[in-house]
Amino acid sequence: MNQAESGNRTKSPVIDVRKVTREYLAGTFTAVSDVSFEVQEGQVTALVGPSGCGKTTVLRMIAGLEPPTDGEIVVYGNSVHGPGPERGMIFQAYTSFPWLTALKNVEYGMKILKVPPVERRKRAMQLLEEVRLSPAAHQYPAELSGGMKQRVAIARTLAQNPRVLLMDEPFGALDAQVRWEMQEMMIEIFQAENKTVVLVTHDIQEAIYLADRIIFFTRNPGRIKQDIILDFKAGRRFRKKEELLEQDGYIRAEQQLFAWMREEIQN
Amino acid sequence: MSEQNSITSVQTGATMVKEMERPASSRKVPKLPYLRLLTPTSSRETLILGVIGAFLFFLLWEAAHYATDEESRRFLPSPQHVVATLITLIVERNFLSDVLISAYRIFASFFAACLVAVPLGIFMGCFSRMRALINPTISGARYLPAASFIPLLLVWFGPTDTQKLALLFLGVIFFLVALILDNTESVQKELIEAAMTMGASRWEIVVNVVGRAAAPAIMDSMRNMIAVGYTYLVIAEIVAAQDGIGAVMMRAGRFLKVDVIMAGILAIGILGVLTDILFRLVAHFLFPWNRRRKQ
Ligand SMILES: Nc1ncnc2c1ncn2[C@@H]1O[C@H](COP(=O)(O)OP(=O)(O)OP(=O)(O)O)[C@@H](O)[C@H]1O
Ligand SMILES: [Mg+2]
């Protein structure tokens, strides 16, 4: 494992979080304090840390759903002042629109971007195929399982072809087997579309499985504790989890993260 | 190793005994089958029970009628008598036109109330500053009895239809706004945020996300509030009215014709039930996506 700082700095970053602080309760509570990091094109970064350390807050600020109290976030050279379709977000809560069928949900984002109807339909079908949801295309979310609802939300976000994908514990509400299936699917998608991804999770194994880099947060106030590149993966992404587990260095990475987590819990 | 195994098997044995017991006890005939928690009733049974409930009510009424001593029985006519009176009223005294006038007043005033309350409720529910500006005034108005507007409305509009529509309108509007505001604010925050991250415009979100998400709940609020509208019908038609169910009932009251009064009440009841069914049907066809959730 290397410190991320020593990584390649020649390209300008896709996401640049600059000395960001976020206070709540009229400045009496600091959720995130002086956080800075850069995310490069095509990198999958996991934000990990104990509950309440500000992971969600950081992600929401990148999404533009909340303003920083201090500091600035720059995405593709533009300062963030609100949400936008170039930063697709996937929430932990099911956000597929219950009044639209799976297909119409996926079309919705493209409708916002004024994609012509024929093209919209074609791409939506294709994406449903990609998230293995074609048979449920004409069903409403109420008729779908949690995992299927989440697939609808993922396909809907991907349909807008965002350059950055922000995910806040997207599989947190799913049971182990579905979660794993979804993780495999996400790796395929990251690989196929070369997305820049910021993923919030408190599941250490999920972070190692999906991410190239892990930013570990500490709480009270939320700060970066460690920022590591998972270099045992050597830039590879292992679709099969068992292959990942075979890699030298996997166990060490996991041990390290658990040790940090323990420190946090004991503080 | 073998010791451990034996311990394990003993433990498994113990749990097995416990598990055998559990289904046996639950196999017993459940006590109080009509008071079981978390047990849905099939739609067929719901219908049957509903009919039985109504039948019991009429039975009680009938019993009360016969329990009354003979000379005061006309003050509590039997259900058949009331139904017969209702039919006579319709056939001989053109009561149906009164019913239709009342229905028109209810629906027209309620439609106008919705035209105001739905946009206003959604608007306030979406924008907290607008809510802060408007809502205190409106929600305060809920405490004004609608009947207290009657003198004012009579001065403004005279004994006209407009006056009655205005009274019915005022009777429901404030509550309707409050309910719709509540329905709008209950919309899951993440749906709005998801739409925002997709780049949807403010009005797109207000209309096509919040509006659509809240629509079934708003429909329920409307169904409940039109029922409140009915409660104001008689008040509206007591004062300076020549037609409508309420006017007929008032006239009958002056001659102590209890059977006609009760026929009027029955007519309002039937109209109310039909209205309720109408709203449920509309909701059923308008929101197919919400059907499964309801159960
Ligand atoms: N709107 C808010 N008002 C007040 N405090 C808030 C608000 N949102 C978040 N916080 C506080 O900020 C801190 C960080 O919250 P955040 O949701 O970012 O944590 P998290 O790392 O995502 O935690 P978890 O793993 O539990 O999701 C928490 O202590 C939380 O209580
Ligand atoms: Mg969180």
Side-chain angles (χ1 to χ4, degrees):
Chain A
M1 281 173 281
N2 274 339
Q3 296 300 302
E5 296 305 311
S6 62
N8 185 350
R9 279 194 145 225
T10 50
K11 275 191 287 180
S12 65
V14 173
I15 301 170
D16 190 354
V17 177
R18 298 178 185 162
K19 293 182 164 299
V20 162
T21 296
R22 171 71 189 172
E23 291 167 355
Y24 285 116
L25 311 173
T28 56
F29 178 80
T30 306
V32 174
S33 171
D34 195 25
V35 164
S36 299
F37 61 92
E38 294 177 355
V39 180
Q40 304 296 332
E41 179 104 52
Q43 193 175 44
V44 179
T45 302
L47 309 184
V48 183
S51 185
C53 66
K55 308 179 290 288
T56 296
T57 306
V58 169
L59 198 76
R60 288 172 57 83
M61 287 191 290
I62 299 172
L65 291 171
E66 283 180 43
T69 312
D70 201 12
E72 190 187 23
I73 294 173
V74 177
V75 176
Y76 278 107
N78 299 314
S79 188
V80 169
H81 289 295
E86 78 287 353
R87 281 160 287 139
M89 176 114 170
I90 295 160
F91 299 79
Q92 175 174 5
Y94 302 130
T95 56
S96 44
F97 295 144
W99 57 90
L100 297 177
T101 60
L103 182 65
K104 295 267 180 200
N105 257 289
V106 179
E107 285 189 45
Y108 181 86
M110 290 188 275
K111 208 167 143 191
I112 295 296
L113 297 183
K114 301 199 163 58
V115 177
V118 181
E119 202 186 319
R120 217 194 281 160
R121 176 60 53 99
K122 201 170 135 234
R123 179 148 164 76
M125 289 302 247
Q126 195 184 318
L127 274 159
L128 284 176
E129 182 83 49
E130 220 171 290
V131 297
R132 297 173 212 124
L133 216 57
S134 303
H138 299 288
Q139 282 178 291
Y140 290 106
E143 303 161 327
L144 304 177
S145 71
M148 290 160 97
K149 278 184 220 173
Q150 204 57 316
R151 280 167 213 237
V152 174
I154 290 169
R156 186 180 61 184
T157 303
L158 291 174
Q160 289 196 312
N161 201 17
R163 303 211 268 180
V164 173
L165 208 52
L166 306 171
M167 312 213 283
D168 188 3
E169 308 211 21
F171 316 129
L174 306 179
D175 60 52
Q177 171 247 326
V178 180
R179 195 181 169 107
W180 172 49
E181 256 177 69
M182 299 286 284
Q183 289 166 344
E184 280 205 348
M185 191 186 84
M186 282 328 288
I187 288 182
E188 278 170 34
I189 290 168
F190 295 164
Q191 207 60 18
E193 316 217 357
N194 190 36
K195 295 268 181 242
T196 307
V197 182
V198 181
L199 164 81
V200 166
T201 177
H202 49 219
D203 178 341
I204 286 170
Q205 292 174 344
E206 178 170 273
I208 301 175
Y209 185 27
L210 296 183
D212 308 320
R213 169 193 182 187
I214 294 177
I215 301 181
F216 196 101
F217 281 73
T218 171
R219 64 183 154 184
N220 293 328
R223 286 177 200 278
I224 296 180
K225 181 185 176 87
Q226 295 285 344
D227 184 349
I228 58 169
I229 300 272
L230 294 172
D231 47 12
F232 80 89
K233 290 167 105 179
R236 291 165 299 170
R237 301 221 176 101
F238 300 88
R239 198 180 64 83
K240 286 198 176 141
K241 203 167 186 172
E242 53 274 30
E243 276 177 30
L244 175 78
L245 297 179
E246 282 168 12
Q247 300 302 309
D248 286 340
Y250 172 85
I251 297 287
R252 237 176 310 124
E254 198 173 336
Q255 279 172 337
Q256 179 66 83
L257 285 159
F258 271 110
W260 288 337
M261 196 61 105
R262 182 173 298 284
E263 279 172 29
E264 288 304 312
I265 293 164
Q266 281 166 351
N267 281 340
Chain B
M1 192 62 193
S2 68
E3 224 176 35
Q4 256 185 345
N5 267 346
S6 71
I7 288 169
T8 325
S9 69
V10 169
Q11 278 174 339
T12 340
T15 34
M16 272 175 69
V17 171
K18 271 186 202 146
E19 271 165 6
M20 294 282 282
E21 279 171 1
R22 226 177 286 137
S25 64
S26 64
R27 226 180 284 132
K28 270 192 287 181
V29 179
K31 287 176 197 160
L32 301 173
Y34 282 86
L35 299 177
R36 252 183 285 166
L37 295 169
L38 298 177
T39 312
T41 306
S42 74
S43 54
R44 191 163 149 267
E45 211 185 336
T46 305
L47 188 70
I48 293 171
L49 287 174
V51 170
I52 291 176
F55 182 76
L56 284 177
F57 168 73
F58 284 110
L59 209 65
L60 270 175
W61 178 357
E62 187 87 41
H65 168 70
Y66 284 108
T68 316
D69 50 303
E70 210 129 346
E71 61 266 30
S72 24
R73 255 183 214 174
R74 66 194 186 90
F75 295 118
L76 184 60
S78 69
Q80 314 87 288
H81 183 68
V82 170
V83 172
T85 307
L86 181 59
I87 293 169
T88 317
L89 280 175
I90 291 169
V91 174
E92 291 174 10
R93 295 224 235 128
N94 199 17
F95 185 54
L96 210 54
S97 79
D98 290 292
V99 172
L100 289 178
I101 284 169
S102 290
Y104 152 75
R105 283 178 183 148
I106 289 277
F107 277 90
S109 63
F110 192 72
F111 181 72
C114 290
L115 232 46
V116 176
V118 173
L120 189 60
I122 293 178
F123 184 66
M124 287 198 296
C126 286
F127 307 110
S128 65
R129 287 207 165 118
M130 291 299 120
R131 182 200 163 139
L133 177 73
I134 303 166
N135 196 44
T137 311
I138 288 192
S139 62
R142 282 178 307 168
Y143 294 92
L144 305 173
S148 66
F149 287 103
I150 292 177
L152 184 66
L153 295 175
L154 276 173
V155 173
W156 281 353
F157 302 114
T160 58
D161 226 26
T162 317
Q163 176 261 331
K164 289 160 193 71
L165 293 179
L167 180 70
L168 290 170
F169 177 90
L170 288 173
V172 298
I173 184 76
F174 304 116
F175 287 94
L176 197 57
V177 172
L179 286 175
I180 292 172
L181 169 60
D182 214 48
N183 300 146
T184 308
E185 289 188 328
S186 308
V187 170
Q188 201 195 338
K189 187 179 119 235
E190 285 90 350
L191 293 182
I192 301 170
E193 290 184 337
M196 286 170 83
T197 58
M198 282 187 273
S201 71
R202 179 176 307 153
W203 297 108
E204 159 70 24
I205 291 175
V206 171
V207 175
N208 278 334
V209 177
V210 179
R212 294 200 68 175
I218 290 176
M219 196 71 185
D220 273 343
S221 296
M222 284 164 57
R223 186 167 55 78
N224 289 322
M225 278 316 296
I226 198 168
V228 175
Y230 274 98
T231 66
Y232 287 110
L233 180 66
V234 177
I235 300 175
E237 291 178 343
I238 281 176
V239 186
Q242 274 69 53
D243 45 18
I245 301 175
V248 170
M249 285 164 69
M250 275 316 285
R251 243 178 285 139
R254 247 174 274 143
F255 301 104
L256 303 180
K257 284 200 267 181
V258 177
D259 52 351
V260 175
I261 297 174
M262 289 183 117
I265 293 175
L266 186 64
I268 294 175
I270 293 170
L271 211 54
V273 169
L274 291 178
T275 309
D276 203 79
I277 293 172
L278 178 71
F279 270 80
R280 282 180 199 275
L281 278 178
V282 170
H284 184 80
F285 289 108
L286 234 40
F287 314 122
W289 52 274
N290 201 39
R291 276 178 214 166
R292 244 190 72 161
R293 195 175 295 205
K294 269 279 157 82
Q295 290 155 13

